[in-house]
Amino acid sequence: MKLHFEPNLDYQLQAIEAVCDLFRGQEVCRTEFTVTMKVPPPAAGDMFPGTKPEQLTLGVAESDLGVGNRLTLLDDELHQNLADIQLRGGLPPSGSLVSGDFTVEMETGTGKTYVYLRSIFELNKRYGFTKFVIVVPSVAIKEGVYKTLQITEEHFKGLYAGVPFDYFLYDSSKPGPVRNFATSSNIQIMVVTVGAINKKDVNNLYKDSEKTGGERPIDLIKATRPVLIVDEPQSVDGGLKGAGKEALDAMNPLCTLRYSATHVDKHHMVFRLDAVDAYERKLVKQIEVASATVEDAHNKPFVRLVSVSNKRGTISAKVELDVQNAIGVRRQEVTVSDGDDLEQVTKRAIYADFRVGEINTAKGEEFLELRYPGGETYLRPGQAHGDVDSLTVQREMIRRTIREHLDKEKRLRPLGIKVLSLFFIDEVAKYRSYDADGNPAKGDYARIFEEEYRRAAKLPAFQSLFEEIDLDSAAEDVHNGYFSIDKRIVTPFEDMELKKSSKKEDVETSSYNLIMKEKEKLLSFDTPLKFIFSHSALKEGWDNPNVFQICTLRDIQTERERRQTIGRGLRLCVNQHGERVRGFEVNTLTVIATENYEQFAENLQKEIEDDTGIRFGIVEPHQFATIAVTGTDGHTVPLGVDQSKVLWEHLKATGHIDAKGKVQDSLKTALKDGTLALPAEFDAQRSQIAEVLRKVSGRLEIKNADERKQVAVRKGVYLSPQFKELWDHIKHKTTYRVQFDNDKLIQNCIDSLQKAPAIPKARLQWRKADIAIGKAGVEATEKAGAATVVLDETDIELPDLLTDLQDRTQLTRRSIATILSGSGRLDDFKRNPQQFIELTAETINRCKRLALVDGIKYQRLGDQHVYAQELFEQEELIGYLKNMLMDTAKSIYEHVVYDSTTERDFADALEKNDAVKLYAKLPGWFKVPTPLGTYNPDWAVLIEEDGTQRLYFVVETKGSLFADDLRHKEGAKIACGKAHFQALAVGENPTRYIVARSVDDVLSEAAKG
């Protein structure tokens, strides 16, 4: 099985575009330098003084030509490019260009590695950069990046016309390839761990080496001015002035691109796809929690040590006890000291003769002595006495995981999707132990799992999955583990024992290779393994798109690892052809945990805030800067940071936010009732502003697995002749053709190019600085006297304009020539070729996109190509109680599952309006094909006027009706939806397609007759 990579995911292209646009205006060029061969000093016993050793004369030239990257942009131009990118992406503006570090924030599971690898090829294609160094924090990620380079090699060569490129893992014991890195003119990608570069006195990178021709490898890298790509910089840097950050700067990079989901130091931000955006745009799995919490288990004297403290000589401990109070027995934290009688503290006889003994507060050796009749016990922080038998709770968790797994398997197996479940355990011995001869034996978890799996297999609900399967062997085959114990690495596919002398890095590399090796194999139905047990081997770098259940059999509350744990299963799943399958109806990750789901959501939200700096419920002063405003000339421009601040101040003055920007209840109420008061100049943008505020005042939504419910079809509506009539109007499928009026497209391109902004000439920037030489070194301080001079370049080598534009726009050379000559702007090309090419390509591509939607024609397919009404019964609809309008009377389903408050209010209004006879929230399988991907409209509605005339509507609900407010792509899909339903509009009473904010909009459309 081969994983299939999608080249056109809009958010990935936006991230690549943001990085490439930093260098807008840069010409395609490179720098060249000489790499010499240094002869080693003569040895004392040299028999042939004055001659070179033979190995130096064989196969290595005395001096080679080195090829490096070159930046021709001025700092001011880079800063302007950065400001444009930040405004476009709604990011806080960087006041000045402080360094060459640029940040790309992408949530786990959205294809960060793919994005930075593809950015390499895009930067090469646009600007000719060839030298790239990828720095990673660990061996695991290094091997992961290497594996990704191997499996994407064919894909990238297909996208970039077979461009030759070399990639290698830097190995400090074999620095030879670094010379080739410096001298080759092909794209060179070097992958290195921070451990190989951050210790100057130890690392071979900083020492002369014969293998690189006597040069220090670092000097060769420096001379190429590489583009540095840092994966997980928060683990690489070691702080702003850490050894890792210094080692990065020592490479003399052209720029440093930093990719992570959890940045600590946010240098100039160029792209952000945070956790909230990823969930909202359904780019990762929806998360639900099945929580196992023990209640009313107060029948044993329970004591759990939380912490110990020594304040000003007073030694005490915080413990959790079952305390009697006015409303009954409750588990709560209490502070106790040496000698305390727990019967008195808890007011419960069950604690008779339980006393606190010695409390030790020494760091790393904290404990509390608990004395009771017949003995004493020592509790470490987190340990408990008298708790419910932990294996009882864990058995229930394993049972629940198996059932969740089989439920999903029943639903997803027919779609070609293999379901995997992952267990994180507290100690390896509970799953598997080894005797003195190294033979494995099953631990408690393995035994419990097999018992529960056999039990679940006998349940009537899962019979279809177990026909003709021998349960005895099946229960053993479906589970296995990934562990590393005492230099022994165990995976489901291999068991390997390393030498006792193996270094930590060898153990890491070998274990990671084994885990990664068979990643694709796990996804195939041919491999029976479905349940994976692991201790911590799967921490970073390992994630499998088809993990649908994660069960934490160890206490997740004590470690900050909710995001880490969940990250292992966030990616969208793939089918047997290796293609991604989208939609929350398929992609739901169930976390089985021992904390209730509100607590889980609360803690996860806190972790996201700590890790990413997203502040839930906080309005930032720049929040409204990207809102589109239509100017007097008809062009749309962003609102801008200054106007955004004016709006923020207004919200603060009206008490909707406090001085720190925190959303107050009055704002939530105003948004719900539609009574938000804004200054008059912002009236035209009201709906966009309200949408931004609605998003900010929301929370991260984690679903409760116990509220998941299958929604049944309402037979009364489903079998009614009215519904059959409505369905017959909309059930037909269509195909589309795009008709281009070529002359009109060319004319539009000419007009747009004539109106495009002017192109400046190249400029020379003068700067003055004082140089101070002291013991600390040489320091330059800039002073007044900076100036910019326009350069008249007469010796520019003009690139092949037509070929370049043909590559970027896919138009014919003749069409491009017509557009260029018609625009009358060829002088601009001579003035600044690179900027002219970029401006022209962007203008043509924008006109093309508009023409695509304008010229689309849909055609109805034959009567055999329809969405059958029976699909409502065959396809399951699953929702959560929190997002359901319950017990509806007119809907095709018994409850309406909604995605937003707009949809909920719309469904509620449909129920209450007498003119509406019946309606359906159109399910995910009802799709309209468009050139921009499939489109799923919201509603089908039947309205009856005066008891006689019936009108049929397909409705798309939106918070705003203004085209400017709808995202460009969304607006285009809606235009295609309109064209699709027009193609079905035959007969005297056809279906009408409308975009509406409320039911009143639909009724006013109906009134037009």
Side-chain angles (χ1 to χ4, degrees), residues 113 215 435 521 574 729 825:
T113 312
E215 299 266 8
D435 61 21
K521 208 172 186 179
V574 300
H729 272 74
R825 292 194 62 171

Side-chain angles (χ1 to χ4, degrees), residues 80-349:
Q80 186 52 53
N81 287 344
L82 175 65
D84 294 345
I85 293 163
Q86 287 173 331
L87 186 56
R88 183 173 79 205
L91 301 168
S94 302
S96 60
L97 198 65
V98 186
S99 67
D101 295 284
F102 301 97
T103 297
V104 176
E105 186 177 308
M106 290 184 79
E107 176 59 6
T108 309
T110 54
K112 178 183 68 192
T113 312
Y114 176 86
V115 164
Y116 68 63
L117 291 180
R118 182 153 172 199
S119 298
I120 289 175
F121 292 94
E122 200 60 41
L123 285 168
N124 171 264
K125 180 180 164 189
R126 296 189 192 188
Y127 311 116
F129 297 156
T130 53
K131 303 300 157 86
F132 299 87
V133 177
I134 300 172
V135 185
V136 298
S138 67
V139 173
I141 295 182
K142 178 175 84 168
E143 298 291 339
V145 172
Y146 193 65
K147 168 94 177 164
T148 309
L149 275 162
Q150 288 172 321
I151 58 179
T152 52
E153 187 166 342
E154 223 175 280
H155 170 76
F156 287 137
K157 282 196 167 152
L159 282 179
Y160 292 94
V163 60
F165 66 98
D166 304 312
Y167 54 91
F168 66 98
L169 295 176
Y170 171 75
D171 180 346
S172 54
S173 60
K174 302 184 192 120
V178 176
R179 187 177 171 98
N180 182 53
F181 174 86
T183 56
S184 169
S185 58
N186 292 344
I187 297 176
Q188 293 290 314
I189 304 168
M190 173 167 113
V191 187
V192 59
T193 58
V194 67
I197 62 171
N198 64 1
K199 301 180 197 73
K200 286 201 167 153
D201 42 349
V202 183
N203 295 146
N204 289 342
L205 189 75
Y206 302 97
K207 296 175 185 166
D208 295 347
S209 166
E210 279 182 29
K211 292 170 184 158
T212 54
E215 299 266 8
R216 297 189 315 162
I218 186 70
D219 293 335
L220 291 174
I221 293 168
K222 265 179 159 171
T224 65
R225 292 217 64 198
V227 171
L228 281 192
I229 292 171
V230 187
D231 195 335
E232 307 295 350
Q234 71 282 6
S235 309
V236 167
D237 286 354
L240 277 172
K241 297 228 165 90
K245 182 81 177 81
E246 280 184 12
L248 296 177
D249 294 341
M251 288 190 187
N252 186 28
L254 178 110
C255 70
T256 306
L257 306 172
R258 309 159 69 82
Y259 291 80
S260 175
T262 56
H263 290 277
V264 176
D265 303 306
K266 292 186 175 17
H267 301 268
H268 315 103
M269 177 86 75
V270 293
F271 181 77
R272 179 181 220 170
L273 176 72
D274 59 36
V276 180
D277 292 332
Y279 292 134
E280 281 192 346
R281 293 173 64 179
K282 303 188 180 179
L283 306 178
V284 291
K285 289 195 185 94
Q286 168 175 282
I287 302 170
E288 63 172 20
V289 180
S291 51
T293 49
V294 178
E295 290 168 13
D296 298 332
H298 308 307
N299 306 314
K300 296 184 195 169
F302 171 80
V303 182
R304 178 169 168 269
L305 178 60
V306 179
S307 62
V308 294
S309 82
N310 182 353
K311 283 190 182 148
R312 300 197 185 101
T314 307
I315 292 177
S316 64
K318 200 177 265 186
V319 293
E320 230 179 4
L321 303 168
D322 292 336
V323 180
Q324 178 79 45
N325 57 26
I327 50 169
V329 179
R330 287 284 174 273
R331 189 161 287 180
Q332 61 191 59
E333 288 185 4
V334 179
T335 303
V336 293
S337 306
D338 189 350
D340 281 1
D341 180 345
L342 296 186
E343 185 178 5
Q344 289 179 353
V345 174
T346 58
K347 303 186 175 50
R348 295 187 68 213

Side-chain angles (χ1 to χ4, degrees), residues 39 132 217 449 973:
V39 178
F132 299 87
F449 175 84
K973 281 190 175 180

Side-chain angles (χ1 to χ4, degrees), residues 687 902 905-906 909-910 913 915-916 939 941 943 945 951-962 992-1009:
S687 54
T902 309
D905 298 345
F906 190 79
L910 288 172
N913 198 298
V916 176
W939 311 88
V941 183
I943 288 178
E945 298 230 308
L951 298 167
Y952 310 99
F953 287 95
V954 171
V955 184
E956 178 70 33
T957 39
K958 284 283 168 264
S960 160
L961 296 183
F962 296 106
R992 288 185 242 171
Y993 173 86
I994 63 168
V995 178
R997 269 177 317 198
S998 63
V999 172
D1000 293 343
D1001 291 340
V1002 182
L1003 294 175
S1004 56
E1005 184 66 30
K1008 294 175 188 172

Side-chain angles (χ1 to χ4, degrees), residues 713-720 723-724 869-873 891-892:
V713 169
R714 185 177 289 288
K715 292 285 189 199
V717 174
Y718 173 67
L719 297 171
S720 68
F723 183 72
K724 186 178 184 312
Q869 194 169 325
E870 290 71 36
L871 282 168
F872 280 98
E873 289 187 296
S891 164
I892 176 77

